Amino acid sequence: MESKKLRVGWFTFTCCEDSTIIFTELLNRHWQEWLPKIEFIHARVLQGRNRLEEMDVAFLEGAIASDTQAEKARLIRGLAKRVIAIGACACTGNPSAQRNSFAAPTKAEISALLARFGQADRVRTLRDVIAVDDMVQGCPMVEQQFITVLNKYFKEFGV
């Protein structure tokens, strides 16, 4: 009989993906320990066949910079029992949200680019768009904080 696994999704929005790099490095170090405990439903950095379906925990990295991203974040929230904001952009919006504080002339200068790439006028934090259950701060994320949060959800979901 196979033991229960934590059904996990890893998603990235607007950011430099530094926390994704840290995550893959953590997987390298903890692979033997985590392999029997985690089922990746969605993790583009790790696999080609990803699914948007019910999961226990969704880790979302990056700020929300477009309405399309906000819609996807809401979809993920609806599928995930727990959502964790990963990294500074997801938690605070910055540095991605720096353009929110640009002076009017600079905002006018970049408006054509925002329109061309379907970007919203303002960059939002993940919490501005959906309910978030936990946050892992840092740019990149703080490794030990991530491990603590992951262990918390192993325990909560009986893994």
Side-chain angles (χ1 to χ4, degrees), residues 2 17 20-22 30 32 34 51 69 88 101 112-114 121-122 124 142 152:
E2 191 173 322
E17 298 188 73
T20 295
I21 294 166
I22 296 297
H30 295 273
Q32 295 297 326
W34 291 348
R51 307 176 314 272
Q69 288 180 347
S101 61
L113 291 171
L114 296 179
D121 289 337
R122 295 191 54 78
R124 295 169 280 176
V142 178
K152 171 184 174 178

Side-chain angles (χ1 to χ4, degrees), residues 2-151:
E2 191 173 322
S3 61
K4 179 171 172 42
K5 291 186 175 189
L6 191 68
R7 294 170 50 86
V8 168
W10 184 277
F11 303 89
T12 301
F13 293 103
T14 299
C15 64
C16 67
E17 298 188 73
D18 56 352
S19 293
T20 295
I21 294 166
I22 296 297
F23 175 60
T24 57
E25 289 300 320
L26 285 169
L27 284 173
N28 286 333
R29 291 197 301 268
H30 295 273
W31 187 248
Q32 295 297 326
E33 172 192 353
W34 291 348
L35 179 62
K37 295 181 176 184
I38 298 175
E39 175 187 356
F40 287 102
I41 303 304
H42 191 285
R44 287 181 53 205
V45 70
L46 301 177
Q47 59 193 24
R49 293 193 314 184
N50 293 291
R51 307 176 314 272
L52 277 174
E53 62 186 42
E54 187 176 304
M55 64 197 87
D56 298 321
V57 179
F59 296 99
L60 280 65
E61 175 185 30
I64 304 300
S66 70
D67 292 338
T68 302
Q69 288 180 347
E71 289 171 24
K72 185 172 182 182
R74 285 190 280 274
L75 173 64
I76 294 164
R77 175 74 260 190
L79 294 170
K81 294 173 185 150
R82 298 287 180 262
V83 169
I84 317 309
I86 297 291
C89 287
C91 296
T92 69
N94 287 318
S96 293
Q98 289 175 327
R99 70 176 164 91
N100 293 350
S101 61
F102 287 173
T106 304
K107 286 182 179 182
E109 190 175 315
I110 67 168
S111 65
L113 291 171
L114 296 179
R116 179 178 177 190
F117 293 105
Q119 298 292 293
D121 289 337
R122 295 191 54 78
V123 175
R124 295 169 280 176
T125 68
L126 194 57
R127 195 172 259 170
D128 290 336
V129 176
I130 61 172
V132 170
D133 299 295
D134 259 312
M135 296 191 302
V136 177
Q137 302 282 345
C139 184
M141 70 176 174
V142 178
E143 290 182 29
Q144 190 53 54
Q145 191 178 3
F146 174 81
I147 291 169
T148 299
V149 167
L150 182 61
N151 286 332

